[in-house]
Amino acid sequence: KVNSKKVHKKARTTSTVLLKGPKNFRQRLVCSLLSGKPVKIEEIRSRDERPGLRPFEANLLRLLDKLTNGTKIEINVTGTTLYFRPGFITGGKIKHDCGTERAIGYYLEALIPLSLFAKNPVKATLQGITNDNYDLSVDLIRTALLPGLQNVFGLPASLQLKIQARGAPPNGGGEVVFTSPLVKQIKPIYFTDEGKIKRMRGLAYSTRVSPQTANRMVDSARGLLNHWIPDVYIYTDHYKGEESGKSPGFGLCLVSESTTGVLLSAEEMAMGKQASLPESLGRVSAEKLCNEISSGGCVDTCCQSIYFLLMAISEESVSKIRAGKLSTCSIQFLRHLKDFFAVTFKVKADTETNTILLSCLGAGLKNFSKKST
């Protein structure tokens, strides 16, 4: 056992993971930083009319460079090949402009797992678009993802996200403050009991439009959800002035909670020319939540990859979780976890509930900067 651990540690620090294509770009870099393995990504949109890295991907590299010390990033002339040698995650206070190509949630998904293993507690101020239909909104992260991680993995309550200003597409103008404590090690989990839905909560927001827009979304969503459960409460949040960002917009984020602490969420935003009536948007958001609940599982489809990552780097013990339908991104990410951490997930279908049980043996990643108490 001692010899095998030495060999694994040596391979972990010297071997370079070779990958192709731009898919799962964030997850690859996160795995590289946590595992200590360099990664080389080739053929990044090499056949497209615009080959190479996109501006938002280069922006993510700049954020990771601020978060770490000693990280080496090499990009070829055409931008189609990236060599990323991870450095040390230092953390601390960070201020970053996320631009307007992707929402702040795109960057937060990479920041959340990395900040737990930093040298110093992270306080990151991120500016840009807070809500859109392509990335997780800051509302879903604040009300569903972070509380879910705290309940399931026992993370500290100081893992928080505060919204200072909202920014709708296309011009953004939003600002959030993300704070994260340090952990010594992630605890293994056994999370397979779905329970029964006991309540639903939501947040309807509006910026630079009539305050009645949020109320119209609430009435439409409650018209569907109250058929299934009486305990439905949706807050309204209207922003004006400097806190309302640079573009008009509105949206609805819904979260359901079960008797066993399972949080399932759904959201829908109105974006520029794609904006629809508040009534239809509220109805669509409620239908999405019902579909998420009907698919089953103990974790959101959009949050699966973060849960799987924390399971893979947890203590050297077996973790098990129940999931609904696996997304394409999650399936590919399970392969990346095997490449970087040598962790293989056992996937078993549960035909009675039409769900999937996933289990793995954690890699035992430790944060040596965190003093044990």
Side-chain angles (χ1 to χ4, degrees), residues 49 55 76 90-91 105 111-112 130 139 156 162 204 208 255 304 345 350-351 353:
E49 294 180 0
N76 68 346
T90 55
L111 194 59
I112 290 171
T130 56
D139 296 296
K162 294 182 179 180
R208 295 187 178 274
V255 181
Q304 288 174 352
F345 276 72
D350 188 350
T351 55
T353 59

Side-chain angles (χ1 to χ4, degrees), residues 51-346:
L53 294 171
R54 296 290 182 257
F56 65 87
E57 293 169 335
N59 199 0
L60 176 64
L61 291 172
R62 286 192 289 270
L63 174 61
L64 297 182
D65 190 45
K66 293 179 182 179
L67 186 69
T68 61
N69 185 18
T71 298
K72 184 179 180 181
I73 303 172
E74 295 180 358
I75 305 173
N76 68 346
V77 178
T78 59
T80 56
T81 301
L82 166 69
Y83 175 75
F84 185 87
R85 190 181 71 186
F88 187 69
I89 306 174
T90 55
K93 291 186 178 181
I94 300 171
K95 188 172 183 179
H96 187 72
D97 186 359
C98 299
T100 56
E101 282 204 342
R102 297 296 291 265
I104 294 176
Y106 175 84
Y107 303 87
L108 277 175
E109 283 190 70
L111 194 59
I112 290 171
L114 292 176
S115 60
L116 298 173
F117 291 88
K119 181 180 179 181
N120 304 301
V122 173
K123 184 178 181 181
T125 302
L126 304 178
Q127 300 170 332
I129 295 174
T130 56
N131 305 75
D132 69 2
N133 285 325
Y134 305 113
D135 301 299
L136 296 184
S137 71
V138 294
D139 296 296
L140 190 146
I141 294 174
R142 181 174 61 89
T143 59
L145 178 57
L146 296 185
L149 295 178
Q150 291 168 346
N151 294 336
V152 177
F153 293 94
L155 299 181
S158 54
L159 182 67
Q160 295 178 350
L161 180 67
K162 294 182 179 180
I163 303 172
Q164 305 288 356
R166 288 194 180 274
N171 298 323
E175 181 176 298
V176 301
V177 177
F178 171 71
T179 55
S180 172
L182 306 180
V183 297
K184 183 70 177 178
Q185 201 169 11
I186 301 294
K187 298 178 181 179
I189 64 169
Y190 189 87
F191 197 40
T192 59
D193 189 1
E194 298 172 289
K196 301 293 184 180
I197 301 298
K198 64 178 182 179
R199 60 170 167 253
M200 294 181 182
R201 296 293 182 264
L203 177 68
Y205 81 91
S206 58
T207 60
R208 295 187 178 274
V209 294
S210 172
Q212 291 299 320
T213 304
N215 296 329
R216 292 164 63 184
M217 288 187 290
V218 171
D219 294 339
S220 177
R222 286 179 61 93
L224 175 63
L225 298 178
N226 279 132
H227 285 293
W228 312 108
I229 187 171
D231 191 358
V232 178
Y233 193 89
I234 303 176
Y235 300 87
T236 58
D237 196 3
H238 179 69
Y239 281 74
K240 56 184 178 180
E242 295 181 356
E243 296 180 351
S244 61
K246 300 177 182 179
S247 298
F250 55 91
L252 178 62
C253 178
L254 298 173
V255 181
S256 67
E257 183 180 353
S258 76
T259 53
T260 56
V262 175
L263 298 176
L264 299 177
S265 60
E267 59 184 357
E268 183 72 15
M269 288 85 189
M271 298 171 51
K273 296 180 180 179
Q274 303 176 6
S276 56
L277 291 174
E279 288 81 6
S280 60
L281 189 144
R283 181 84 180 185
V284 169
S285 183
E287 290 174 352
K288 282 186 175 182
L289 181 62
C290 293
N291 290 333
E292 190 72 33
I293 295 172
S294 65
S295 64
C298 299
V299 57
D300 259 337
T301 305
C302 58
C303 303
Q304 288 174 352
S305 60
I306 295 182
Y307 278 77
F308 296 162
L309 173 62
L310 296 184
M311 289 172 61
I313 63 178
S314 64
E315 298 177 8
E316 295 184 20
S317 182
V318 176
S319 292
K320 192 172 185 179
I321 196 170
R322 184 185 300 274
K325 182 180 179 181
L326 289 178
S327 63
T328 306
C329 175
S330 299
I331 295 173
Q332 182 60 42
F333 187 56
L334 293 177
R335 300 188 181 104
H336 290 332
L337 292 176
K338 184 177 181 180
D339 295 333
F340 286 94
F341 301 101
V343 173
T344 303
F345 276 72
K346 182 181 178 182

